[in-house]
């Protein structure tokens, strides 16, 4: 018996399950690679059933069956499906990007795609709120969670911190129509604002940026 096996054998089964149940999916998978006994505990159906229920509550209720087995396999299959859908949105946005800028009409289309695909908060957190992705994709995920899913702000902030993207910034530029002043028409102008992702969640920008994006004027861009 190696050291990892011995360490596990000194723990009661319920304590080992409690430890494993507190982990994220990547950490749970890593723990399962430590030894044979940890692999068995980390593949326990009760753990993966709970993860399915947390990430896809509606789907879980639809397939819930006392005799259902292999919740881990079910989770992996659903995750791969969502990953494929996320990749399609990522490719769509990357094709529309012009020198790191994105027209708002394309931005809103990406959010609509997420809604059509019935993405949940955990899906967005795991697949779009990632450091390796363009910040505009992070913004799309943030906007979707905040305005469509109406996830509490503190949950989104924690997700930004977990993805190490909380201090990323975006710059939004939009067209302000001209107006009349003392009988003269002032020409159209542009207004821009740079803001941290965290400030969009907490409302430090007074909600101005997301309001502009929601408006969806085709002349607005990021």
């Amino acid at each position: 018996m190696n050291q990892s096996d011995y360490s596990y054998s000194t723990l009661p089964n319920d304590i080992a399950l409690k430890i494993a149940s507190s982990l994220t999916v990547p950490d749970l998978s890593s723990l399962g690679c430590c030894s044979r006994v940890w692999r068995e505990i980390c593949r326990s159906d009760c753990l993966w059933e709970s993860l399915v229920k947390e990430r896809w509550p509606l789907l879980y209720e639809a397939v819930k069956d006392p005799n259902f087995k292999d919740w881990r396999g079910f989770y992996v299959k659903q995750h791969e499906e969502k990953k494929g859908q996320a990749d399609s949105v990522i490719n769509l946005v990357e094709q529309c990007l012009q020198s790191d800028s994105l027209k708002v009409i394309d931005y809103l289309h990406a959010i609509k795609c997420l809604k059509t695909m019935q993405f949940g908060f955990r899906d967005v957190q795991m697949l779009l709120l990632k450091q390796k992705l363009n910040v505009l994709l992070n913004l799309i995920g943030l906007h979707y969670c905040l305005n469509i899913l109406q996830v509490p702000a503190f949950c989104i902030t924690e997700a930004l911190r977990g993805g190490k993207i909380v201090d990323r910034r975006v710059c939004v530029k939009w067209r302000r129509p001209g107006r009349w002043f003392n009988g003269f028409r002032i020409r159209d102008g542009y207004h821009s604002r740079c803001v941290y992702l965290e400030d969009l969640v907490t409302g430090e920008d007074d909600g101005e940026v997301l309001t502009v994006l929601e408006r969806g004027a085709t002349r607005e861009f990021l």
Side-chain angles (χ1 to χ4, degrees):
M1 180 181 293
N2 61 39
Q3 185 176 358
S4 296
D5 289 346
Y6 176 77
S7 298
Y8 166 76
S9 67
T10 62
L11 291 174
N13 190 63
D14 59 333
I15 299 298
L17 280 172
K18 185 69 174 178
I19 293 172
S21 67
S22 68
L23 301 177
T24 62
V25 172
D27 290 339
L28 185 64
S29 299
S30 297
L31 180 61
C33 295
C34 291
S35 70
R36 175 180 57 80
V37 288
W38 276 116
R39 181 169 65 251
E40 292 175 0
I41 201 71
C42 289
R43 286 175 172 264
S44 298
D45 239 27
C46 61
L47 293 177
W48 291 94
E49 180 180 1
S50 178
L51 289 169
V52 170
K53 183 178 180 180
E54 178 192 21
R55 185 169 173 184
W56 304 293
L58 296 180
L59 181 60
Y60 172 77
E61 291 298 325
V63 301
K64 185 173 62 174
D65 184 340
N67 299 317
F68 186 84
K69 301 296 181 183
D70 194 22
W71 283 103
R72 179 179 179 276
F74 183 84
Y75 184 99
V76 171
K77 180 180 178 181
Q78 292 300 315
H79 175 76
E80 289 301 317
E81 180 180 327
K82 287 299 180 184
K83 184 177 183 301
Q85 293 174 338
D87 287 343
S88 68
V89 173
I90 291 170
N91 291 335
L92 171 68
V93 171
E94 288 179 343
Q95 290 173 6
C96 296
L97 280 173
Q98 302 173 1
S99 302
D100 290 329
S101 66
L102 182 69
K103 291 182 179 179
V104 172
I105 190 171
D106 297 321
Y107 171 92
L108 293 177
H109 179 61
I111 292 178
K112 184 179 179 180
C113 287
L114 294 178
K115 185 177 181 180
T116 301
M117 295 171 180
Q118 297 183 322
F119 264 52
F121 173 55
R122 294 299 181 194
D123 298 322
V124 175
Q125 181 181 8
M126 297 179 70
L127 300 171
L128 291 179
L129 301 183
K130 302 198 303 186
Q131 195 175 31
K132 71 177 184 179
L133 294 179
N134 187 294
V135 65
L136 298 181
L137 285 161
N138 300 156
L139 178 61
I140 287 169
L142 180 158
H143 193 163
Y144 175 76
C145 290
L146 196 62
N147 285 25
I148 305 299
L149 299 181
Q150 297 186 336
V151 176
F154 75 91
C155 293
I156 301 176
T157 301
E158 287 302 310
L160 296 180
R161 289 173 180 163
K164 299 180 180 179
I165 57 174
V166 71
D167 58 349
R168 282 187 159 188
R169 291 200 308 169
V170 292
C171 184
V172 181
K173 185 177 181 181
W174 64 94
R175 178 176 175 270
R176 278 185 169 173
R179 58 190 178 88
W180 291 93
F181 181 74
N182 289 340
F184 295 94
R185 178 173 173 79
I186 300 175
R187 296 177 59 185
D188 294 354
Y190 284 91
H191 181 72
S192 64
R193 185 162 184 177
C194 292
V195 61
Y196 289 100
L197 293 183
E198 182 179 23
D199 290 343
L200 291 174
V201 180
T202 59
E204 290 296 324
D205 70 322
D206 301 323
E208 181 181 32
V209 171
L210 291 183
T211 299
V212 167
L213 294 174
E214 281 283 356
R215 210 163 63 229
T218 56
R219 286 180 178 269
E220 298 167 359
F221 55 92
L222 305 170

